[in-house]
Amino acid sequence: MKEHTPVVIEHLAKRYGFRYALLDVTLSVGRGEVFGLLGPNGAGKSTLLKVLATLVSPSGGSVLIDGLSLKDRKVELRRRIGYLGHEPLLYRDLTGEENLKFYYKFYHSSPPEYVQEKLDEVFELLRIGGWRHEPVRNLSRGFKKRFDFARAIIHDPELLLFDEPFSGLDMESLEVAREFVRSMEGEKTIIISTHNIEEAKELCNKAALLAKGRLIRLLEAGDIDEVSLKDAFKGGAAR
């Protein structure tokens, strides 16, 4: 059986009224890569991730995920995608464990003992087992983010989409989150948006530089540097 490239984007566009948030973006992401989306605020990074996560419909172009058309196979592809946005997608009045059980059962039907085994594995990975019975509304920002990481991976997706995943975290949660991403490299295909060049240099194998919704440059790991990011800032942000 032919193995497809996990993500293939061709001439992608997204328009809001008369403004293009994305315009003619073409790139691909290889299996097991940690791929960075770099650029200033307003460059189109979050919009691109939302399109890939099937949360926003593109205005033009095409996207293939594992060889399947995003336009035609949207429902099927959602099972293969784990998305982490700026705000946690968690129910505040449920505990962390109740949230994860809910999201797991949304995608899978498994025996209770298997579900518990999966939960324990994720709790250990993100060091959140001690807060599993705490309502989400009582958790700190850092622990909410960790439980949101858990929510994004609980159904074992093949493609992980993380939008500014380290923003505003305390030092402990930041280190846990970075270790988590490193542990997924090679096992999952990961796309991370950031405007922090040091994060990208540390974690990403490749990256795309965006500005004003356009792809400015594709970067190999050794090319991710301050000069490249400054080039994007010179281009200005999308409005």
Side-chain angles (χ1 to χ4, degrees):
M1 181 181 294
K2 181 180 178 181
E3 184 174 279
H4 296 281
T5 302
V7 179
V8 178
I9 300 168
E10 294 186 342
H11 307 294
L12 187 66
K14 177 57 186 177
R15 186 176 66 186
Y16 295 99
F18 296 104
R19 179 181 68 87
Y20 277 94
L22 294 171
L23 183 60
D24 198 29
V25 174
T26 295
L27 60 87
S28 62
V29 181
R31 193 168 306 280
E33 288 182 354
V34 180
F35 190 94
L37 297 177
L38 308 178
N41 291 332
K45 305 184 300 293
S46 294
T47 301
L48 179 52
L49 287 179
K50 286 178 180 177
V51 169
L52 294 176
T54 76
L55 299 175
V56 171
S57 296
S59 304
S62 65
V63 177
L64 295 179
I65 297 178
D66 277 337
L68 302 178
S69 167
L70 188 70
K71 178 181 178 181
D72 301 327
R73 310 286 286 275
K74 186 178 294 186
V75 174
E76 179 180 351
L77 283 173
R78 283 174 181 158
R79 295 179 177 272
R80 306 186 184 200
I81 295 168
Y83 172 76
L84 182 81
H86 290 172
E87 296 298 325
L89 298 176
L90 300 169
Y91 292 98
R92 288 172 49 83
D93 292 331
L94 297 181
T95 67
E97 182 168 302
E98 288 168 342
N99 267 281
L100 297 186
K101 284 182 176 179
F102 171 80
Y103 279 104
Y104 183 87
K105 291 177 180 178
F106 187 78
Y107 293 102
H108 298 287
S109 177
S110 301
E113 60 272 17
Y114 180 85
V115 177
Q116 195 59 54
E117 181 180 326
K118 182 67 177 177
L119 289 173
D120 291 341
E121 176 185 321
V122 172
F123 289 147
E124 181 177 356
L125 183 63
L126 290 159
R127 304 182 209 168
I128 51 178
W131 290 265
R132 65 200 299 170
H133 300 305
E134 192 71 30
V136 167
R137 65 175 180 274
N138 295 341
L139 297 175
S140 68
R141 176 182 175 84
F143 276 101
K144 285 177 183 175
K145 181 66 81 171
R146 291 197 222 180
F147 273 101
D148 209 31
F149 270 110
R151 174 207 48 82
I153 66 166
I154 193 64
H155 58 296
D156 200 24
E158 299 157 22
L159 174 63
L160 301 177
L161 308 171
F162 295 154
D163 194 359
E164 300 282 0
F166 312 121
S167 177
L169 293 183
D170 60 89
M171 290 303 295
E172 181 185 348
S173 293
L174 181 60
E175 185 55 35
V176 170
R178 286 175 174 170
E179 286 180 8
F180 165 74
V181 172
R182 292 188 200 104
S183 73
M184 294 288 109
E185 183 180 357
E187 179 182 346
K188 306 289 186 183
T189 302
I190 305 174
I191 304 179
I192 297 179
S193 75
T194 182
H195 55 261
N196 186 317
I197 198 71
E198 292 304 319
E199 289 175 356
K201 286 172 66 175
E202 179 184 348
L203 296 171
C204 298
N205 313 119
K206 296 181 180 180
L209 194 60
L210 301 174
K212 291 185 176 180
R214 292 179 178 270
L215 175 65
I216 304 300
R217 190 180 304 166
L218 289 171
L219 303 169
E220 298 293 328
D223 300 324
I224 300 173
D225 54 34
E226 291 288 351
V227 174
S228 298
L229 195 59
K230 286 178 181 177
D231 286 346
F233 275 97
K234 287 178 183 178
R239 298 187 60 83

